[in-house]
Amino acid sequence: MQQTSTTLTRRHRWSATLALLLALTMASPVLADGDKKKKKKTATTEQKSAPKPQIDISKLVWPSPPSIPRVRYLNYFAGVKIDYTAQTKSKKKSWMDRLAGTQSESEKFNIKDFPFQLLGPYGIAIDSKGLVYVADQKVGAVFIFNTETRDVRLIRNGYEAHFGLINGLAIDDDDRLFVSDGKMRRVLIFDTKHEVIGQISEALMDPVGLAIDKQNRFLYVVDTQLDQVIVYDADTLKLLRRIGTTGKNHWLTTPGDFGAPSNVAVDKEGNIYVTDTMNNRVEIFDADGNFLGQFGKHGDGPGYLARPKGIAIDCDGHIWIADSYQDRVQVFNREGQLLTYLGGHGHFPGQFEDVIGIAIDKQNRVFTTEQYPGRMQVFRYVTDSEAEAEKSRREAEQGKTAPKAVDSTSQKGGERVQQQSYTTPQAEREFWLAGRGRNVAVHKRLADPWLVEVDFSNETEVTFGNTYRRF
């Protein structure tokens, strides 16, 4: 009996041991899966927390180094600040509130606190305080940006004003705001409190671009459907004259006429520059409306125009054009020679998607608006005097570091021979088109960004911060 019980006890032990081993074998894959899931979660968390690549916008300049920069990237704006902080949960309604139909705090909506964003920005204007006004066609409001604090106010359709389809903006010496409305066929005038104080509707069908000659007190209104630029007295708002022939349905190409013009700008002498969009050119008139000249040729490369829309004049008289089809901002001189350009299709800083508006303020800041990203980008124009000062500074530095002439006496005849080492100044450079199967010299204009530098020690000539060989 005792032997039998011992045998049973051993069998029970073996059975328990086998059962334990089997349980561990079954559990090991589950533990392994658990470890894998933990590793996956950890990897996913690390991926999510990995820092995103940042773009150093302080180094974005045009043209690229080592050339003297003429345009610097500053910033961009997209709308009202959005508060992403978690809101405290509101208390649930009591049965009495539900019966009375009252709203809880979370259900209350204040239109003034809504963070509107740019959806279809078009015209731009800057007042005497540096506030930037942007007309948004899709939102139906004029955004007012404080570029220092990034605060935003709005003049909204249905609240401060009644808009149909707002396009262009202009601001005069008294900070009166002029807003063109194509759908309502009028130009509204606002005072400094953003209250409507007047309007212009005479002779208008589709007002778009606006500009004010502050010296001669002229208000220029570009009417795209009429193919005309209509001139009013900026103070009395009376019609003075029309520029261009109407009634030809955008078909006219003769000098002084237009095919669906878009915008207008005024220079220091009171001359006006009009983007003749369908004819892919810019036409120039004096303050009396007399035709002075034109430039522009249809094409899809730098120096050519394809649906030019926005236009502005900088303090040095250069003409900045926003080309909506090429998504480029191109800078020309009065003769129509390309000086530089920036942009291209894309959403990165300095790129555009249907660029429309452009404006330059007294601080030489350049503002652009584009439709599809719904944003306003800000650049800084480096003036001719600033570029010349930078050029002189670089030449002075190079003069300090340049090797001095070394005199040595030759072994033949004892004559003194001067050996001199030259350094090619930064100014004496020439750009050539590269990678096109041939080298093509580009004279007096900046061409494609795909360029290589070639040093020359012969005569050179400075144009818009870069230098070119004289022919």
Side-chain angles (χ1 to χ4, degrees), residues 71-89:
V71 184
R72 297 182 181 275
Y73 189 88
L74 295 183
N75 213 330
Y76 82 95
F77 295 83
V80 181
K81 293 179 182 179
I82 301 176
D83 186 7
Y84 292 101
T85 57
Q87 296 180 355
T88 56
K89 294 183 179 180

Side-chain angles (χ1 to χ4, degrees), residues 4-19:
T4 303
S5 62
T6 303
T7 303
L8 291 172
T9 303
R10 288 177 179 175
R11 287 178 181 177
H12 285 304
R13 287 178 179 176
W14 279 107
S15 300
T17 303
L18 290 172

Side-chain angles (χ1 to χ4, degrees), residues 73-79 118 121-126 130-135 143-147 150 152 352 357-359 365-371 373-379:
Y73 189 88
L74 295 183
N75 213 330
Y76 82 95
F77 295 83
L118 292 172
Y122 200 97
I124 315 169
I126 304 98
L131 298 177
V132 184
Y133 293 67
V134 178
F143 286 70
I144 307 172
F145 292 94
N146 186 323
T147 57
R150 301 190 73 88
V152 183
F352 305 105
I358 187 168
R365 295 182 300 174
V366 182
F367 302 88
T368 62
T369 54
E370 49 196 303
Q371 293 278 297
R375 65 179 174 182
M376 176 183 69
Q377 298 193 71
V378 188
F379 305 84

Side-chain angles (χ1 to χ4, degrees), residues 179-189 199-210 219-226 228-232 237 239 241-242:
V179 182
S180 65
D181 192 324
K183 188 175 182 179
M184 305 301 293
R185 300 184 178 185
R186 66 185 181 186
V187 175
L188 287 179
I189 300 99
Q199 71 173 27
I200 303 172
S201 58
E202 181 183 2
L204 294 178
M205 179 178 290
D206 182 22
V208 181
L210 300 176
L219 169 66
Y220 294 96
V221 181
V222 178
D223 196 302
T224 302
Q225 290 300 319
L226 292 179
Q228 289 183 325
V229 176
I230 306 174
V231 188
Y232 298 88
L237 307 181
L239 176 64
R241 59 180 171 270
R242 303 166 183 257

